[in-house]
Amino acid sequence: MPELPEVETIARGLAKRVTGDLIESVWLGQKKEPLKSPAARIAATLEQSRIASVRRMGKHIVFDLDRRDGVERALNKAQWIVHLGMTGRLQVCEPQAEIAKHTHAILRLSSGRELRFVDPRRFGRLSVATSAEFDATGIEPLEINRDRFIALFHGRKTPIKSALLNQKLLRGVGNIYADESLFRAGIRPRRRAATISREKLAKLHTAVVEVLQEAIALGGSSVSDYVNADGEEGFFQLQHRVYGREAEPCLVCKTPIKRVVIAGRSSHYCPKCQK
Ligand SMILES: [Zn+2]
């Protein structure tokens, strides 16, 4: 599943390619699962809208749309929101490019290209929002300051790993980056957030930001089958220090990495380096 760094990379790639383009027409497939808003509403919102910007919110890709409606041709704002789910991808391609199996949406752009949404497993979601801005829950992990981060987790009774994955607190921190951040901060995933000192939480804040920024700089660290906005595979992989390394030696102290399951998710940690 694409995590925050991958989604950021994809959103940046799309922004470079389609910002300023006008959506001339829209085709939507018959499958209902990918459409979180009614098909007619998605089509009506997208058609004849200009893509003003593309950005990431949590793990969503948000296309900000400018449209002129009514007799007055008043400028209205809307958003097209894409969640890639497990296997969703957005392709910018020439109209003659072969249409991949599992294509659920095709947007024809005034530049002559097409923007297509392809998703074999159909966990991805397309929706539109008008007037009121789309609001993902939680706070952006790359925007939250240290004091607010500490306040968010301080006093929580749940394991710190569960709290990091709770999208109502921080948006977009997934399993891999939670494990990697906890390793760098020296905190065991099962530790109750309430028992962690402010100093340690400050260290965790730094670790979360570092891990995400390093991964974004590398273009995301894919462990799944999606492609970037160019339709190319091959993201560089951030070297995971604990994630997916069960029984392998810790890169710092050589103790075998342990794996435990917390709230249904695999968690990896070094029993010596993390307390
Ligand atoms: Zn270690």
Side-chain angles (χ1 to χ4, degrees):
M1 176 179 304
E3 292 211 35
L4 185 153
E6 289 83 28
V7 178
E8 175 76 27
T9 303
I10 293 163
R12 286 183 190 179
L14 286 164
K16 268 190 244 161
R17 280 159 197 82
V18 302
T19 300
D21 229 328
L22 184 79
I23 302 165
E24 290 186 330
S25 62
V26 175
W27 171 89
L28 295 169
Q30 295 299 309
K31 295 278 187 283
K32 292 217 180 336
E33 303 95 313
L35 309 182
K36 205 174 156 192
S37 306
R41 200 174 154 229
I42 294 178
T45 307
L46 295 183
E47 282 180 351
Q48 298 305 311
S49 285
R50 194 171 293 285
I51 301 170
S53 60
V54 187
R55 61 202 163 90
R56 177 190 62 77
M57 275 182 87
K59 289 195 227 178
H60 297 87
I61 298 169
V62 178
F63 294 76
D64 292 300
L65 306 173
D66 284 345
R67 36 185 304 113
R68 299 210 171 262
D69 289 329
V71 204
E72 306 278 306
R73 309 283 292 150
L75 184 65
N76 289 306
K77 304 274 184 194
Q79 276 120 24
W80 180 38
I81 303 122
V82 179
H83 193 286
L84 297 172
M86 303 280 283
T87 54
R89 54 186 204 265
L90 286 158
Q91 296 177 323
V92 179
C93 55
E94 299 300 321
Q96 59 269 27
E98 194 182 336
I99 295 172
K101 213 174 160 187
H102 310 293
T103 296
H104 304 293
I106 300 176
L107 281 57
R108 292 177 199 89
L109 307 175
S110 59
S111 61
R113 296 167 304 167
E114 290 183 352
L115 177 53
R116 300 178 184 171
F117 177 69
V118 183
D119 187 5
R121 294 190 60 187
R122 301 205 296 269
F123 287 107
R125 294 289 178 266
L126 309 179
S127 60
V128 289
T130 45
S131 60
E133 184 173 351
F134 165 69
D135 189 20
T137 59
I139 307 171
E140 277 295 328
L142 292 174
E143 288 168 14
I144 189 171
N145 67 31
R146 192 177 63 184
D147 289 345
R148 205 154 168 219
F149 182 95
I150 292 169
L152 205 57
F153 294 103
H154 192 70
R156 294 213 161 249
K157 302 204 166 45
T158 55
I160 185 66
K161 171 75 183 276
S162 312
L164 276 176
L165 293 180
N166 183 347
Q167 301 295 305
K168 287 181 187 140
L169 302 177
L170 288 184
R171 67 167 79 122
V173 176
N175 205 32
I176 298 174
Y177 299 102
D179 279 7
E180 293 297 309
S181 303
L182 287 167
F183 175 74
R184 293 192 189 195
I187 301 168
R188 283 200 191 192
R190 232 201 270 276
R191 268 283 291 278
R192 309 260 149 210
T195 68
I196 302 169
S197 68
R198 287 171 182 275
E199 290 70 30
K200 275 280 190 191
L201 285 174
K203 222 174 158 187
L204 181 59
H205 174 243
T206 306
V208 167
V209 172
E210 270 179 15
V211 163
L212 292 175
Q213 280 177 342
E214 282 171 30
I216 290 168
L218 287 168
S221 73
S222 170
V223 288
S224 187
D225 57 336
Y226 64 92
V227 289
N228 67 17
D230 280 330
E232 293 166 348
E233 287 180 60
F235 279 105
F236 291 100
Q237 188 136 353
L238 182 75
Q239 193 194 5
H240 301 145
R241 297 184 191 173
V242 286
Y243 183 83
R245 297 191 66 245
E246 185 185 7
E248 287 177 43
C250 169
L251 299 174
V252 173
C253 73
K254 301 201 164 55
T255 304
I257 298 299
K258 275 197 158 182
R259 186 182 80 95
V260 291
V261 176
I262 299 170
R265 307 292 301 274
S266 281
S267 296
H268 306 79
Y269 69 98
C270 170
K272 196 170 167 199
C273 294
Q274 292 171 259
K275 304 284 177 207

